[in-house]
Amino acid sequence: MDTIIHNTKELEFAIFCIENTAKYLNLDPTGLFETLSEKTSILKDYIIKNYETLHTQGKDYIIEDIIEIMQEKGCLDAALPRFIP
């Protein structure tokens, strides 16, 4: 994986997003990290790229936004949402 996180604020935010989304979906955070960073580019191209805007939003909004993008990318069943590895 390329180095995509440039400072501790971005790192802390990425961890916050992964942990809270995993908790909401009842998933292992490690597996979600792999999906967001290795199987898709959501971590790099959305979460980190949009850090300045996203970190000003509430937790629920961020989680819902990440889930919506995962559904668009085919990582989650749009109806449930259910994780698709």
Side-chain angles (χ1 to χ4, degrees):
M1 180 174 71
D2 296 331
T3 302
I4 59 169
I5 297 176
H6 303 101
N7 57 56
T8 56
K9 288 182 182 182
E10 289 180 355
L11 175 61
E12 290 171 353
F13 183 69
I15 292 168
F16 168 85
C17 290
I18 293 165
E19 287 183 346
N20 283 287
T21 303
K23 182 177 180 180
Y24 179 84
L25 295 171
N26 196 29
L27 298 172
D28 173 47
T30 303
L32 183 60
F33 169 75
E34 290 172 1
T35 296
L36 297 178
S37 64
E38 297 171 11
K39 296 178 182 175
T40 69
S41 60
I42 296 171
L43 180 61
K44 175 181 154 187
D45 293 339
Y46 183 72
I47 295 172
I48 299 303
K49 183 177 181 180
N50 295 296
Y51 164 76
E52 289 297 328
T53 302
L54 286 174
H55 88 280
T56 65
Q57 304 300 315
K59 179 174 78 170
D60 292 339
Y61 175 87
I62 294 168
I63 292 169
E64 290 173 12
D65 213 31
I66 292 170
I67 288 172
E68 183 177 318
I69 292 169
M70 291 177 70
Q71 290 170 333
E72 290 172 7
K73 299 278 187 183
C75 303
L76 284 178
D77 184 321
L80 294 177
R82 186 176 59 200
F83 186 64
I84 302 170

